[in-house]
Amino acid sequence: LKKISKDILDNQIDSINKLEKSFDKNFESIIDFLGKIKGRIIITGIGKSAIIGMKISATLNSTGSPSIFMHGSDALHGDLGVITKDDVVLCFSKSGNNTETIDLVKQIKKLKINLIGITSVKDSFLGKKSDKSIVYKIEKEACPNDLAPTTSTGIQLLLCDIISVCLMTLKKFDKKSFATLHPSGSLGKKLITKVKDLIDVKNVPAIQIGSKF
């Protein structure tokens, strides 16, 4: 088990090292574009990529970049209606060639909405049809059968966090901004709680001079 764990970790580290090559001028232009849009960042995907998409949408919302998650399958059954002309779609798909993703990309292009593909296959349908794309290299999944999304979803998640942090830095989203969107929970309480919130200044215990009690 120790060897299996080390092999998985080495696999992930190798993919992370390869991911660094994706941070080129193309990546910078995508971040700059996302930071200037008037609408929202629509995140979509199928299968495990969709689950990663839900997380990144939540992270974007909490760090100053309005976002909506739209499941790829639901999009083809009416949810495409959530997209406006001011939005941009980020579509996640490791292969970029599965049937649902192909159908989804075709419909998004018909709507003439900006599409950014995030895939591991540059020449995939998603990679070719996207207005811009981020390509991450995956030699193999950590799964011993090279089938279950493991390394690929880990890289997708890391890439999503990088995009979010780059955008919040670009927008100068500071602790005060963070607190505004996180009024509850331990993080929110830590950031916004002040002494006046804990003390009732109108009901301060006092004793009169000369009192015997």
Side-chain angles (χ1 to χ4, degrees), residues 162-192:
I162 291 171
I163 292 173
S164 296
V165 174
C166 284
L167 284 174
M168 68 184 295
T169 302
L170 188 65
K171 296 180 178 183
K172 298 181 180 180
F173 191 87
D174 55 16
K175 289 184 178 180
K176 184 177 180 180
S177 303
F178 190 88
T180 301
L181 300 181
H182 292 72
S184 188
S186 59
L187 285 176
K189 298 302 182 186
K190 178 180 178 180
L191 291 169
I192 66 175

Short mmCIF file of all heavy atoms in Angstrom, two decimals, residues 162-192:
data_model
loop_
_atom_site.label_atom_id
_atom_site.label_comp_id
_atom_site.label_asym_id
_atom_site.label_seq_id
_atom_site.Cartn_x
_atom_site.Cartn_y
_atom_site.Cartn_z
N ILE A 162 -6.21 27.94 -9.39
CA ILE A 162 -5.25 28.91 -9.94
C ILE A 162 -5.99 30.02 -10.66
O ILE A 162 -5.68 31.21 -10.49
CB ILE A 162 -4.26 28.21 -10.89
CG1 ILE A 162 -3.33 27.29 -10.08
CG2 ILE A 162 -3.43 29.24 -11.67
CD1 ILE A 162 -2.45 26.39 -10.94
N ILE A 163 -6.99 29.66 -11.46
CA ILE A 163 -7.79 30.66 -12.18
C ILE A 163 -8.49 31.58 -11.19
O ILE A 163 -8.48 32.80 -11.35
CB ILE A 163 -8.83 29.97 -13.10
CG1 ILE A 163 -8.13 29.24 -14.25
CG2 ILE A 163 -9.83 31.00 -13.65
CD1 ILE A 163 -9.05 28.40 -15.10
N SER A 164 -9.07 31.00 -10.16
CA SER A 164 -9.80 31.80 -9.15
C SER A 164 -8.89 32.78 -8.44
O SER A 164 -9.23 33.95 -8.27
CB SER A 164 -10.46 30.87 -8.13
OG SER A 164 -11.44 30.06 -8.72
N VAL A 165 -7.72 32.31 -8.01
CA VAL A 165 -6.79 33.16 -7.27
C VAL A 165 -6.22 34.26 -8.18
O VAL A 165 -6.06 35.40 -7.76
CB VAL A 165 -5.64 32.32 -6.66
CG1 VAL A 165 -4.60 33.24 -6.03
CG2 VAL A 165 -6.20 31.37 -5.61
N CYS A 166 -5.96 33.91 -9.44
CA CYS A 166 -5.47 34.93 -10.39
C CYS A 166 -6.52 36.02 -10.57
O CYS A 166 -6.19 37.21 -10.59
CB CYS A 166 -5.15 34.28 -11.73
SG CYS A 166 -3.62 33.33 -11.78
N LEU A 167 -7.79 35.61 -10.69
CA LEU A 167 -8.86 36.58 -10.89
C LEU A 167 -9.08 37.46 -9.66
O LEU A 167 -9.27 38.67 -9.78
CB LEU A 167 -10.17 35.86 -11.25
CG LEU A 167 -10.26 35.32 -12.68
CD1 LEU A 167 -11.53 34.50 -12.87
CD2 LEU A 167 -10.23 36.47 -13.69
N MET A 168 -9.04 36.85 -8.48
CA MET A 168 -9.27 37.65 -7.28
C MET A 168 -8.11 38.62 -7.05
O MET A 168 -8.31 39.73 -6.54
CB MET A 168 -9.50 36.77 -6.04
CG MET A 168 -8.33 35.96 -5.57
SD MET A 168 -8.73 34.86 -4.17
CE MET A 168 -9.13 36.05 -2.88
N THR A 169 -6.91 38.23 -7.46
CA THR A 169 -5.76 39.12 -7.35
C THR A 169 -5.89 40.26 -8.36
O THR A 169 -5.64 41.43 -8.04
CB THR A 169 -4.45 38.35 -7.61
OG1 THR A 169 -4.35 37.27 -6.68
CG2 THR A 169 -3.25 39.27 -7.46
N LEU A 170 -6.31 39.91 -9.58
CA LEU A 170 -6.50 40.91 -10.63
C LEU A 170 -7.56 41.93 -10.23
O LEU A 170 -7.43 43.13 -10.51
CB LEU A 170 -6.92 40.21 -11.93
CG LEU A 170 -7.00 41.04 -13.20
CD1 LEU A 170 -5.60 41.55 -13.59
CD2 LEU A 170 -7.59 40.22 -14.34
N LYS A 171 -8.61 41.46 -9.56
CA LYS A 171 -9.70 42.33 -9.15
C LYS A 171 -9.47 42.99 -7.79
O LYS A 171 -10.34 43.71 -7.28
CB LYS A 171 -11.00 41.54 -9.11
CG LYS A 171 -11.44 41.01 -10.46
CD LYS A 171 -12.74 40.22 -10.35
CE LYS A 171 -13.20 39.73 -11.70
NZ LYS A 171 -14.50 39.01 -11.64
N LYS A 172 -8.32 42.70 -7.19
CA LYS A 172 -7.96 43.24 -5.87
C LYS A 172 -9.03 42.89 -4.84
O LYS A 172 -9.47 43.73 -4.05
CB LYS A 172 -7.76 44.76 -5.95
CG LYS A 172 -6.62 45.15 -6.87
CD LYS A 172 -6.41 46.65 -6.92
CE LYS A 172 -5.26 47.01 -7.85
NZ LYS A 172 -5.03 48.48 -7.92
N PHE A 173 -9.43 41.65 -4.85
CA PHE A 173 -10.43 41.13 -3.93
C PHE A 173 -9.73 40.82 -2.61
O PHE A 173 -9.06 39.80 -2.45
CB PHE A 173 -11.06 39.86 -4.52
CG PHE A 173 -12.28 39.37 -3.79
CD1 PHE A 173 -13.54 39.85 -4.10
CD2 PHE A 173 -12.16 38.40 -2.82
CE1 PHE A 173 -14.67 39.38 -3.44
CE2 PHE A 173 -13.28 37.92 -2.15
CZ PHE A 173 -14.53 38.42 -2.46
N ASP A 174 -9.87 41.72 -1.62
CA ASP A 174 -9.13 41.60 -0.37
C ASP A 174 -9.95 40.95 0.75
O ASP A 174 -11.05 40.43 0.52
CB ASP A 174 -8.64 42.98 0.08
CG ASP A 174 -9.80 43.98 0.20
OD1 ASP A 174 -10.98 43.55 0.23
OD2 ASP A 174 -9.53 45.19 0.27
N LYS A 175 -9.41 40.97 1.97
CA LYS A 175 -10.07 40.34 3.11
C LYS A 175 -11.43 40.98 3.40
O LYS A 175 -12.39 40.31 3.79
CB LYS A 175 -9.18 40.42 4.36
CG LYS A 175 -7.97 39.52 4.31
CD LYS A 175 -7.20 39.59 5.61
CE LYS A 175 -6.01 38.64 5.59
NZ LYS A 175 -5.24 38.70 6.87
N LYS A 176 -11.50 42.29 3.22
CA LYS A 176 -12.76 43.00 3.47
C LYS A 176 -13.83 42.54 2.48
O LYS A 176 -14.98 42.32 2.86
CB LYS A 176 -12.55 44.50 3.34
CG LYS A 176 -13.78 45.33 3.69
CD LYS A 176 -13.48 46.83 3.61
CE LYS A 176 -14.72 47.65 3.97
NZ LYS A 176 -14.44 49.11 3.89
N SER A 177 -13.43 42.37 1.23
CA SER A 177 -14.35 41.88 0.20
C SER A 177 -14.78 40.45 0.53
O SER A 177 -15.95 40.09 0.38
CB SER A 177 -13.66 41.91 -1.17
OG SER A 177 -13.21 43.21 -1.49
N PHE A 178 -13.82 39.65 0.96
CA PHE A 178 -14.11 38.26 1.31
C PHE A 178 -15.11 38.19 2.45
O PHE A 178 -16.05 37.39 2.42
CB PHE A 178 -12.80 37.56 1.71
CG PHE A 178 -12.92 36.07 1.86
CD1 PHE A 178 -12.73 35.24 0.76
CD2 PHE A 178 -13.22 35.50 3.09
CE1 PHE A 178 -12.83 33.86 0.90
CE2 PHE A 178 -13.33 34.13 3.23
CZ PHE A 178 -13.13 33.30 2.14
N ALA A 179 -14.92 39.03 3.44
CA ALA A 179 -15.81 39.04 4.61
C ALA A 179 -17.24 39.41 4.22
O ALA A 179 -18.21 38.89 4.78
CB ALA A 179 -15.29 40.01 5.65
N THR A 180 -17.38 40.30 3.25
CA THR A 180 -18.70 40.72 2.80
C THR A 180 -19.50 39.55 2.26
O THR A 180 -20.71 39.46 2.45
CB THR A 180 -18.58 41.80 1.69
OG1 THR A 180 -17.86 42.92 2.21
CG2 THR A 180 -19.95 42.26 1.23
N LEU A 181 -18.81 38.62 1.59
CA LEU A 181 -19.48 37.46 1.01
C LEU A 181 -19.50 36.26 1.93
O LEU A 181 -20.12 35.24 1.61
CB LEU A 181 -18.79 37.08 -0.31
CG LEU A 181 -18.77 38.16 -1.40
CD1 LEU A 181 -18.07 37.64 -2.65
CD2 LEU A 181 -20.19 38.60 -1.74
N HIS A 182 -18.83 36.37 3.09
CA HIS A 182 -18.78 35.26 4.04
C HIS A 182 -19.16 35.73 5.45
O HIS A 182 -18.36 35.67 6.37
CB HIS A 182 -17.36 34.67 4.10
CG HIS A 182 -16.93 33.97 2.85
ND1 HIS A 182 -16.62 34.65 1.70
CD2 HIS A 182 -16.77 32.66 2.57
CE1 HIS A 182 -16.28 33.77 0.77
NE2 HIS A 182 -16.37 32.56 1.27
N PRO A 183 -20.38 36.23 5.63
CA PRO A 183 -20.77 36.75 6.94
C PRO A 183 -20.99 35.68 8.00
O PRO A 183 -21.04 35.98 9.19
CB PRO A 183 -22.08 37.49 6.63
CG PRO A 183 -22.65 36.72 5.48
CD PRO A 183 -21.46 36.35 4.64
N SER A 184 -21.11 34.43 7.56
CA SER A 184 -21.38 33.36 8.52
C SER A 184 -20.21 32.37 8.57
O SER A 184 -19.26 32.47 7.78
CB SER A 184 -22.67 32.62 8.13
OG SER A 184 -23.05 31.70 9.13
N GLY A 185 -20.29 31.43 9.49
CA GLY A 185 -19.22 30.44 9.62
C GLY A 185 -18.02 31.01 10.36
O GLY A 185 -17.94 32.20 10.64
N SER A 186 -17.07 30.14 10.65
CA SER A 186 -15.89 30.57 11.41
C SER A 186 -15.06 31.60 10.66
O SER A 186 -14.52 32.53 11.26
CB SER A 186 -15.02 29.35 11.75
OG SER A 186 -14.61 28.68 10.56
N LEU A 187 -14.95 31.46 9.33
CA LEU A 187 -14.19 32.44 8.55
C LEU A 187 -14.82 33.82 8.63
O LEU A 187 -14.15 34.82 8.86
CB LEU A 187 -14.11 31.99 7.08
CG LEU A 187 -13.16 30.84 6.76
CD1 LEU A 187 -13.28 30.46 5.28
CD2 LEU A 187 -11.73 31.22 7.08
N GLY A 188 -16.15 33.85 8.42
CA GLY A 188 -16.85 35.13 8.45
C GLY A 188 -16.78 35.78 9.82
O GLY A 188 -16.52 36.99 9.93
N LYS A 189 -17.02 35.01 10.86
CA LYS A 189 -16.98 35.56 12.22
C LYS A 189 -15.61 36.13 12.55
O LYS A 189 -15.47 37.16 13.19
CB LYS A 189 -17.35 34.48 13.24
CG LYS A 189 -18.75 33.90 13.08
CD LYS A 189 -19.83 34.96 13.17
CE LYS A 189 -21.22 34.35 13.04
NZ LYS A 189 -22.28 35.37 12.99
N LYS A 190 -14.59 35.43 12.09
CA LYS A 190 -13.21 35.86 12.36
C LYS A 190 -12.91 37.19 11.68
O LYS A 190 -12.20 38.04 12.23
CB LYS A 190 -12.24 34.79 11.86
CG LYS A 190 -10.76 35.15 12.05
CD LYS A 190 -9.89 34.03 11.52
CE LYS A 190 -8.41 34.38 11.65
NZ LYS A 190 -7.53 33.30 11.12
N LEU A 191 -13.47 37.40 10.50
CA LEU A 191 -13.16 38.58 9.72
C LEU A 191 -14.01 39.80 10.05
O LEU A 191 -13.54 40.94 9.93
CB LEU A 191 -13.29 38.27 8.22
CG LEU A 191 -12.25 37.31 7.64
CD1 LEU A 191 -12.65 36.88 6.23
CD2 LEU A 191 -10.87 37.96 7.61
N ILE A 192 -15.26 39.59 10.44
CA ILE A 192 -16.15 40.74 10.60
C ILE A 192 -16.55 41.05 12.04
O ILE A 192 -17.10 42.12 12.31
CB ILE A 192 -17.43 40.56 9.77
CG1 ILE A 192 -18.27 39.39 10.32
CG2 ILE A 192 -17.10 40.33 8.30
CD1 ILE A 192 -19.61 39.24 9.62
#
